[in-house]
């Protein structure tokens, strides 16, 4: 019986520890990211991570994904592997200049990850082909300066998950105790 209780407690602890591991990585808040530039094929877009977004003078690995991204450039160099290492400024800020491919269109996503801090900054924008009449807006905000991503998560807080997991473990423990008491009464 003690082994069963120990197994239930360990399973419950493992279940509750999983969300903490998933939330371990830090993310730069949307307010620390701004996007400006010309959202057309062949245009230049600058993604700015504000002061304190990363550690001072930290190496930041930047990756970009999107249609025709192999022809995009980060900074002045063409990008063939769609990633490049940058160094954040003395205040933790980082400007990333992206030259969009001439034939590119659609959505582009940029992810910047601090090599030391593990902080992740993200930005997304949509470009129109070079022959399009209008300029596509970045981040769906109409101006391209919002820096936010679409909400795809849950509104349930981590505390609520811990409470629910604790209730499940407690309920399992009560069932084990009830069964044990019932067996003892039957043998007496």
């Amino acid at each position: 019986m003690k082994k069963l209780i120990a197994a239930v407690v360990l399973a419950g602890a493992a279940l509750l520890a999983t969300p903490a591991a998933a939330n371990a990585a830090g993310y730069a808040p949307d307010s620390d990211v701004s996007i400006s530039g010309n959202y057309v094929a062949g245009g230049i877009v600058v993604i700015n991570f504000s002061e304190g977004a990363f550690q001072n003078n930290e190496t930041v690995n930047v990756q970009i994904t999107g249609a025709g991204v192999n022809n995009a450039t980060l900074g002045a160099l063409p990008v063939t592997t769609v990633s490049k290492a940058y160094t954040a400024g003395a205040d933790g800020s980082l400007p990333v200049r992206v030259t969009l491919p001439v034939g590119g269109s659609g959505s582009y996503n940029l992810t910047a990850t601090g090599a030391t801090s593990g902080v992740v900054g993200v930005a997304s924008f949509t470009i129109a082909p070079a022959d399009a009449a209008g300029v596509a807006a970045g981040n769906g905000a109409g101006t391209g300066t919002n820096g936010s991503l679409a909400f795809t998560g849950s509104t349930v807080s981590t505390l609520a998950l811990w409470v629910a997991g604790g209730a499940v473990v407690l309920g399992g423990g009560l069932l084990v105790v009830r069964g044990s008491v019932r067996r003892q009464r039957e043998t007496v």
Side-chain angles (χ1 to χ4, degrees):
M1 181 50 83
K2 289 181 182 180
K3 291 180 182 180
L4 179 62
I5 292 172
V8 168
V9 169
L10 287 175
L15 176 68
L16 295 175
T18 303
N23 292 327
Y27 287 90
D30 292 342
S31 59
D32 284 355
V33 182
S34 65
I35 305 172
S36 61
N38 192 4
Y39 299 97
V40 295
I44 296 173
V45 176
V46 178
I47 295 92
N48 285 303
F49 295 93
S50 67
E51 186 176 311
F54 299 101
Q55 288 183 359
N56 301 346
N57 301 312
E58 175 180 24
T59 298
V60 179
N61 298 309
V62 176
Q63 294 182 335
I64 187 168
T65 59
V69 75
N70 287 337
N71 296 324
T73 60
L74 290 173
L77 303 173
V79 178
T80 57
T81 60
V82 297
S83 64
K84 181 178 176 182
Y86 286 86
T87 302
D91 59 358
S93 64
L94 178 69
V96 178
R97 179 184 162 120
V98 179
T99 303
L100 300 170
V102 174
S105 66
S107 296
Y108 286 75
N109 298 307
L110 181 132
T111 305
T113 307
T116 305
S117 66
V119 170
V120 177
V122 294
S124 63
F125 50 91
T126 303
I127 67 168
D131 59 351
V135 175
N139 294 328
T143 62
T145 60
N146 187 349
S148 63
L149 292 174
F151 177 74
T152 60
S154 172
T155 58
V156 177
S157 70
T158 304
L159 177 62
L161 293 174
W162 278 92
V163 170
V168 168
V169 170
L170 182 61
L174 289 174
L175 289 174
V176 169
V177 169
R178 183 176 176 201
S180 175
V181 169
R182 183 181 302 161
R183 279 191 291 278
Q184 285 179 350
R185 286 183 182 167
E186 289 175 357
T187 59
V188 173

